[in-house]
CSV table of all heavy atoms in Angstrom, one decimal:
chain,number,residue,atom,x,y,z
I,325,ALA,N,-27.4,56.3,9.2
I,325,ALA,CA,-27.9,55.3,10.2
I,325,ALA,C,-27.6,53.8,9.7
I,325,ALA,O,-27.2,53.0,10.4
I,325,ALA,CB,-29.4,55.4,10.4
I,326,TYR,N,-27.8,53.6,8.4
I,326,TYR,CA,-27.4,52.4,7.7
I,326,TYR,C,-26.0,52.0,8.0
I,326,TYR,O,-25.6,50.9,8.3
I,326,TYR,CB,-27.8,52.4,6.2
I,326,TYR,CG,-27.5,51.1,5.6
I,326,TYR,CD1,-27.4,49.8,6.1
I,326,TYR,CD2,-27.3,51.2,4.0
I,326,TYR,CE1,-27.3,48.7,5.4
I,326,TYR,CE2,-27.1,50.0,3.4
I,326,TYR,CZ,-27.0,48.8,4.0
I,326,TYR,OH,-26.7,47.6,3.4
I,327,ALA,N,-25.1,52.9,7.8
I,327,ALA,CA,-23.8,52.6,8.0
I,327,ALA,C,-23.2,52.3,9.4
I,327,ALA,O,-22.5,51.3,9.7
I,327,ALA,CB,-22.9,54.1,7.7
I,328,ASP,N,-24.1,52.9,10.4
I,328,ASP,CA,-23.8,52.5,11.8
I,328,ASP,C,-24.3,51.0,12.0
I,328,ASP,O,-23.5,50.2,12.6
I,328,ASP,CB,-24.6,53.3,12.7
I,328,ASP,CG,-23.9,54.7,13.0
I,328,ASP,OD1,-22.7,54.8,12.7
I,328,ASP,OD2,-24.6,55.7,13.4
I,329,VAL,N,-25.4,50.7,11.5
I,329,VAL,CA,-26.0,49.3,11.7
I,329,VAL,C,-25.2,48.4,10.9
I,329,VAL,O,-25.0,47.2,11.3
I,329,VAL,CB,-27.5,49.3,11.2
I,329,VAL,CG1,-28.0,47.9,11.3
I,329,VAL,CG2,-28.3,50.1,12.1
I,330,TRP,N,-24.8,48.7,9.6
I,330,TRP,CA,-24.0,47.8,8.8
I,330,TRP,C,-22.6,47.5,9.6
I,330,TRP,O,-22.3,46.2,9.5
I,330,TRP,CB,-23.6,48.7,7.5
I,330,TRP,CG,-22.4,48.0,6.8
I,330,TRP,CD1,-21.1,48.2,6.9
I,330,TRP,CD2,-22.6,47.0,5.7
I,330,TRP,NE1,-20.5,47.5,5.9
I,330,TRP,CE2,-21.3,46.7,5.2
I,330,TRP,CE3,-23.5,46.3,5.1
I,330,TRP,CZ2,-21.0,45.8,4.3
I,330,TRP,CZ3,-23.3,45.4,4.1
I,330,TRP,CH2,-22.1,45.1,3.8
I,331,GLU,N,-22.1,48.5,10.1
I,331,GLU,CA,-20.8,48.1,10.9
I,331,GLU,C,-21.1,47.2,12.1
I,331,GLU,O,-20.2,46.2,12.2
I,331,GLU,CB,-20.2,49.6,11.3
I,331,GLU,CG,-18.7,49.5,12.0
I,331,GLU,CD,-18.3,50.7,12.4
I,331,GLU,OE1,-19.1,51.6,12.5
I,331,GLU,OE2,-17.2,50.8,12.8
I,332,ILE,N,-22.2,47.5,12.7
I,332,ILE,CA,-22.5,46.6,13.9
I,332,ILE,C,-22.9,45.2,13.4
I,332,ILE,O,-22.4,44.1,14.0
I,332,ILE,CB,-23.7,47.1,14.6
I,332,ILE,CG1,-23.2,48.4,15.4
I,332,ILE,CG2,-24.1,46.2,15.7
I,332,ILE,CD1,-24.4,49.3,15.8
I,333,ALA,N,-23.5,45.0,12.3
I,333,ALA,CA,-24.0,43.6,11.7
I,333,ALA,C,-22.8,43.0,11.3
I,333,ALA,O,-22.8,41.7,11.2
I,333,ALA,CB,-25.0,43.9,10.6
I,334,GLY,N,-21.8,43.6,10.8
I,334,GLY,CA,-20.5,42.9,10.4
I,334,GLY,C,-20.5,42.5,8.9
I,334,GLY,O,-19.6,41.9,8.4
I,335,GLY,N,-21.6,42.9,8.2
I,335,GLY,CA,-21.5,42.7,6.7
I,335,GLY,C,-22.0,41.2,6.4
I,335,GLY,O,-22.2,40.4,7.3
I,336,SER,N,-22.1,40.9,5.2
I,336,SER,CA,-22.4,39.5,4.7
I,336,SER,C,-21.4,39.0,3.8
I,336,SER,O,-20.6,39.9,3.2
I,336,SER,CB,-24.0,39.6,4.4
I,336,SER,OG,-24.0,40.6,3.2
I,337,VAL,N,-21.7,37.8,3.3
I,337,VAL,CA,-20.6,37.2,2.5
I,337,VAL,C,-21.2,37.2,1.0
I,337,VAL,O,-22.2,36.9,0.7
I,337,VAL,CB,-20.4,35.7,2.8
I,337,VAL,CG1,-19.5,35.2,1.9
I,337,VAL,CG2,-19.9,35.6,4.3
I,338,LYS,N,-20.1,37.6,0.0
I,338,LYS,CA,-20.5,37.6,-1.3
I,338,LYS,C,-19.5,36.8,-2.0
I,338,LYS,O,-18.3,36.6,-1.7
I,338,LYS,CB,-20.4,39.1,-2.0
I,338,LYS,CG,-21.5,40.0,-1.7
I,338,LYS,CD,-21.3,41.3,-2.3
I,338,LYS,CE,-21.5,41.4,-3.7
I,338,LYS,NZ,-21.5,42.8,-4.3
I,339,LEU,N,-20.0,36.2,-3.1
I,339,LEU,CA,-19.2,35.3,-3.9
I,339,LEU,C,-18.9,36.2,-5.2
I,339,LEU,O,-19.6,36.8,-5.8
I,339,LEU,CB,-19.8,34.0,-4.3
I,339,LEU,CG,-20.0,33.1,-3.2
I,339,LEU,CD1,-20.9,31.9,-3.7
I,339,LEU,CD2,-18.7,32.3,-2.8
I,340,ALA,N,-17.5,35.8,-5.7
I,340,ALA,CA,-17.2,36.4,-7.0
I,340,ALA,C,-16.4,35.5,-7.8
I,340,ALA,O,-15.5,34.8,-7.2
I,340,ALA,CB,-16.4,37.7,-6.8
I,341,ASP,N,-16.8,35.2,-9.0
I,341,ASP,CA,-15.9,34.3,-9.9
I,341,ASP,C,-14.5,35.0,-10.1
I,341,ASP,O,-14.5,36.3,-10.0
I,341,ASP,CB,-16.6,33.8,-11.0
I,341,ASP,CG,-16.8,35.0,-11.9
I,341,ASP,OD1,-17.5,35.9,-11.6
I,341,ASP,OD2,-16.3,35.0,-13.2
I,342,SER,N,-13.7,34.3,-10.7
I,342,SER,CA,-12.3,34.8,-10.9
I,342,SER,C,-12.4,35.9,-11.7
I,342,SER,O,-11.6,37.0,-11.7
I,342,SER,CB,-11.4,33.7,-11.3
I,342,SER,OG,-10.1,34.1,-11.4
I,343,ALA,N,-13.1,35.8,-12.7
I,343,ALA,CA,-13.2,36.9,-13.9
I,343,ALA,C,-13.6,38.2,-13.3
I,343,ALA,O,-13.4,39.4,-13.8
I,343,ALA,CB,-14.0,36.6,-15.1
I,344,THR,N,-14.6,38.1,-12.4
I,344,THR,CA,-15.1,39.3,-11.7
I,344,THR,C,-14.2,39.9,-10.7
I,344,THR,O,-13.9,41.1,-10.6
I,344,THR,CB,-16.4,39.0,-11.0
I,344,THR,OG1,-17.3,38.4,-11.9
I,344,THR,CG2,-17.0,40.2,-10.4
I,345,ALA,N,-13.4,39.0,-10.0
I,345,ALA,CA,-12.5,39.3,-8.8
I,345,ALA,C,-11.2,39.9,-9.3
I,345,ALA,O,-10.7,40.8,-8.7
I,345,ALA,CB,-12.3,38.3,-7.8
I,346,TRP,N,-10.7,39.5,-10.4
I,346,TRP,CA,-9.4,39.7,-10.8
I,346,TRP,C,-9.3,40.2,-12.2
I,346,TRP,O,-10.1,39.8,-13.1
I,346,TRP,CB,-8.5,38.5,-10.7
I,346,TRP,CG,-8.6,37.8,-9.3
I,346,TRP,CD1,-9.3,36.7,-8.9
I,346,TRP,CD2,-8.2,38.5,-8.0
I,346,TRP,NE1,-9.3,36.4,-7.6
I,346,TRP,CE2,-8.5,37.6,-7.0
I,346,TRP,CE3,-7.6,39.6,-7.6
I,346,TRP,CZ2,-8.4,37.7,-5.6
I,346,TRP,CZ3,-7.3,39.8,-6.3
I,346,TRP,CH2,-7.7,38.9,-5.3
I,347,ALA,N,-8.3,41.0,-12.5
I,347,ALA,CA,-8.1,41.6,-13.8
I,347,ALA,C,-7.5,40.7,-14.9
I,347,ALA,O,-7.6,40.9,-16.0
I,347,ALA,CB,-7.3,42.9,-13.9
I,348,SER,N,-7.0,39.6,-14.4
I,348,SER,CA,-6.4,38.6,-15.4
I,348,SER,C,-6.5,37.2,-14.7
I,348,SER,O,-7.0,37.1,-13.5
I,348,SER,CB,-5.0,38.9,-15.6
I,348,SER,OG,-4.2,38.8,-14.5
I,349,THR,N,-6.1,36.2,-15.6
I,349,THR,CA,-6.0,34.8,-15.1
I,349,THR,C,-4.6,34.6,-14.4
I,349,THR,O,-3.9,35.5,-14.4
I,349,THR,CB,-6.3,33.8,-16.2
I,349,THR,OG1,-5.3,34.1,-17.2
I,349,THR,CG2,-7.7,33.8,-16.7
I,350,ALA,N,-4.3,33.5,-14.0
I,350,ALA,CA,-3.1,33.1,-13.2
I,350,ALA,C,-1.8,33.5,-14.2
I,350,ALA,O,-1.9,33.4,-15.3
I,350,ALA,CB,-3.1,31.7,-12.8
I,351,THR,N,-0.9,33.9,-13.4
I,351,THR,CA,0.4,34.2,-14.1
I,351,THR,C,1.5,33.4,-13.6
I,351,THR,O,1.5,32.8,-12.5
I,351,THR,CB,0.8,35.7,-14.0
I,351,THR,OG1,1.1,36.0,-12.6
I,351,THR,CG2,-0.3,36.6,-14.4
I,352,ALA,N,2.5,33.1,-14.4
I,352,ALA,CA,3.7,32.4,-13.9
I,352,ALA,C,4.3,33.1,-12.8
I,352,ALA,O,5.1,32.4,-11.9
I,352,ALA,CB,4.7,32.1,-15.2
I,353,VAL,N,4.4,34.3,-12.7
I,353,VAL,CA,5.0,35.2,-11.5
I,353,VAL,C,4.2,34.8,-10.2
I,353,VAL,O,4.8,34.7,-9.1
I,353,VAL,CB,5.0,36.6,-11.9
I,353,VAL,CG1,5.6,37.4,-10.7
I,353,VAL,CG2,5.7,36.9,-13.2
I,354,GLY,N,2.9,34.8,-10.4
I,354,GLY,CA,2.1,34.6,-9.3
I,354,GLY,C,1.6,35.8,-8.7
I,354,GLY,O,1.2,35.9,-7.4
I,355,THR,N,1.4,36.8,-9.5
I,355,THR,CA,0.6,38.0,-9.1
I,355,THR,C,-0.4,38.5,-10.1
I,355,THR,O,-0.1,38.4,-11.2
I,355,THR,CB,1.8,39.2,-8.8
I,355,THR,OG1,2.7,38.8,-8.0
I,355,THR,CG2,1.1,40.4,-8.6
I,356,ILE,N,-1.6,38.7,-9.5
I,356,ILE,CA,-2.6,39.3,-10.3
I,356,ILE,C,-3.2,40.4,-9.7
I,356,ILE,O,-3.4,40.5,-8.4
I,356,ILE,CB,-3.7,38.1,-10.8
I,356,ILE,CG1,-4.1,37.5,-9.6
I,356,ILE,CG2,-3.1,37.2,-11.8
I,356,ILE,CD1,-5.3,36.5,-10.0
I,357,GLN,N,-3.7,41.4,-10.5
I,357,GLN,CA,-4.3,42.6,-9.9
I,357,GLN,C,-5.8,42.4,-9.7
I,357,GLN,O,-6.5,41.7,-10.6
I,357,GLN,CB,-4.1,43.8,-10.8
I,357,GLN,CG,-2.6,44.0,-11.1
I,357,GLN,CD,-1.9,44.5,-9.8
I,357,GLN,OE1,-2.4,45.1,-9.0
I,357,GLN,NE2,-0.6,44.1,-9.8
I,358,GLY,N,-6.3,43.0,-8.8
I,358,GLY,CA,-7.7,42.9,-8.5
I,358,GLY,C,-8.5,43.7,-9.4
I,358,GLY,O,-8.2,44.8,-9.8
Side-chain angles (χ1 to χ4, degrees):
Chain I
Y326 178 26
D328 282 341
V329 174
W330 163 272
E331 190 180 10
I332 293 165
S336 52
V337 180
K338 280 179 83 171
L339 287 170
D341 68 298
S342 192
T344 304
W346 311 108
S348 67
T349 54
T351 64
V353 176
T355 298
I356 54 176
Q357 299 298 325

